Amino acid sequence: MTFAASQPDNSVLIVGAGIAGMAAALHLSHQGLPVHLLDSAPSIGGSMHLLDQTVPPTSCGLCLMLPHQPAFCPTFECDLHPHLHLLPYTDLLHLDGQPGHFSATLHHKPRYVDPARCTACGECAAVCPEARPHDYEGRLHPVKAIYRPPGLRAVPDAWLIDKVVCTRCGRCVDACPTHAIDLDMQPSHTARPAAAVLLTPGFAPFDAHLKGEYGYQVYDNVLSALQFERLVSLAGSTVAHLTRPSDGLPPRRIAFIHCVGSRDNLCNAGYCSSACCMFTAKQVALAKQLDPTLDITVFFMDLRALG
């Protein structure tokens, strides 16, 4: 990707800061191009940085996507790169123009916590009376209305408030030692020029409520794939200890059900997700590593292992 030196702006706007967006941002930044990396989530990294291990090589695979031998995890690499500007908790509202001369209208959502002042001390959450489901673990690990973005490598590592469940009681404001909380913070809009725009929107997990016959959120021990991923992850709330949500005891038997919502026209998803086979294979292997005595059964329509 090259731009003429006479162009007034040769920056690239990347929409989506998961593994694909971070990789593209770092590759372009190393070419000397200014990059604006945008994501609607309160921190960059997407879902990939929630996973302890990837397959292959059965280790943290994030660094494998970087354009050079990393010094830090890619979220930190993006934060430290001089040509890379991060725009978390921001939505792309509108895009005008043409290649070489785009104008993007951006909507910056209020965090109600100033990242420049927040030290992530957690004093605010200690006094907060309201709870919300965890972004990835859901009801298995509720968090407070004021919470830290999930993931050990979150950037920025600053708390934010879910105004849907916030009661504006003001306890967090009084408890914050750095006066970082502003319950009246407002959204803002900016217009940003860009020579090119790259869309890396990532994925959305299937809503298991649409397949009610499996009992998701009816039976305590029926989990989604991402919820189970957090059970086997050192970064999860159980710190890689397999426990049954119903009673906290270790499970003896586990069933994995493939293809839920995949190739199912009743769910408007007549396609294969392409990732679930290897995702399940990895989780079975990790579960067996944590407890070799587990009795595991995998149910599937057919196997389409990626690669």
Side-chain angles (χ1 to χ4, degrees):
M1 185 181 296
T2 59
F3 302 99
S6 60
Q7 287 181 326
D9 189 286
N10 67 343
S11 64
V12 180
L13 174 66
I14 299 179
V15 183
I19 185 169
M22 290 189 298
L26 288 168
H27 278 286
L28 292 170
S29 296
H30 280 292
Q31 298 299 316
L33 292 171
V35 175
H36 305 289
L37 182 58
L38 174 154
D39 202 284
S40 61
S43 62
I44 68 169
S47 298
M48 186 69 179
H49 73 145
L50 301 171
L51 314 182
D52 254 5
Q53 300 186 26
T54 56
V55 175
T58 318
S59 65
C60 177
L62 285 174
C63 298
L64 301 178
M65 59 134 186
L66 296 178
H68 63 94
Q69 183 64 33
F72 303 101
C73 289
T75 49
F76 301 138
E77 290 268 339
C78 289
D79 189 33
L80 294 171
H81 201 287
H83 294 150
L84 226 167
H85 179 218
L86 303 183
L87 295 166
Y89 222 35
T90 301
D91 294 323
L92 174 63
L93 285 187
H94 194 69
L95 187 66
D96 290 311
Q98 57 188 349
H101 300 280
F102 286 111
S103 177
T105 303
L106 308 181
H107 172 73
H108 307 279
K109 296 178 283 190
R111 300 178 73 99
Y112 307 102
V113 179
D114 184 352
R117 293 186 176 185
C118 179
T119 62
C121 67
E123 295 293 330
C124 52
V127 299
C128 179
E130 301 298 330
R132 67 185 294 276
H134 189 278
D135 286 344
Y136 293 93
E137 298 184 47
R139 59 188 171 81
L140 302 181
H141 181 50
V143 295
K144 296 299 184 69
I146 186 166
Y147 65 102
R148 183 181 185 178
L152 298 177
R153 300 172 285 259
V155 174
D157 188 16
W159 294 54
L160 70 155
I161 294 176
D162 184 345
K163 287 302 290 285
V164 174
V165 296
C166 173
T167 59
R168 294 183 62 92
C169 67
R171 296 182 190 179
C172 58
V173 178
D174 297 334
C176 181
T178 60
H179 308 289
I181 300 173
D182 179 6
L183 297 179
D184 296 317
M185 191 178 291
Q186 297 297 314
S188 62
H189 296 84
T190 59
R192 186 172 298 277
V197 179
L198 179 62
L199 305 180
T200 55
F203 73 96
F206 174 71
D207 183 1
H209 290 100
L210 298 178
K211 299 297 289 183
E213 59 265 37
Y214 295 109
Y216 180 69
Q217 291 198 351
V218 175
Y219 304 113
D220 291 338
N221 294 333
V222 176
L223 308 178
S224 69
L226 273 180
Q227 286 176 326
F228 187 83
E229 180 71 40
R230 300 297 286 167
L231 280 182
V232 297
S233 171
L234 287 170
S237 59
T238 63
V239 197
H241 286 85
L242 283 175
T243 59
R244 295 187 306 213
S246 60
D247 54 17
L249 296 176
R252 291 177 297 168
R253 295 184 300 274
I254 299 178
F256 288 88
I257 304 177
H258 276 248
C259 310
V260 177
S262 173
R263 288 169 286 168
D264 190 340
N265 290 325
L266 295 177
C267 301
N268 294 319
Y271 50 85
C272 172
S273 73
S274 80
C276 297
C277 291
M278 290 303 294
F279 195 67
T280 302
K282 183 200 78 168
Q283 291 187 334
V284 170
L286 288 178
K288 280 293 216 179
Q289 288 177 20
L290 294 174
D291 184 358
T293 67
L294 279 172
D295 180 6
I296 296 179
T297 303
V298 178
F299 297 89
F300 60 92
M301 291 192 291
D302 57 7
L303 291 179
R304 299 184 178 185
L306 183 64

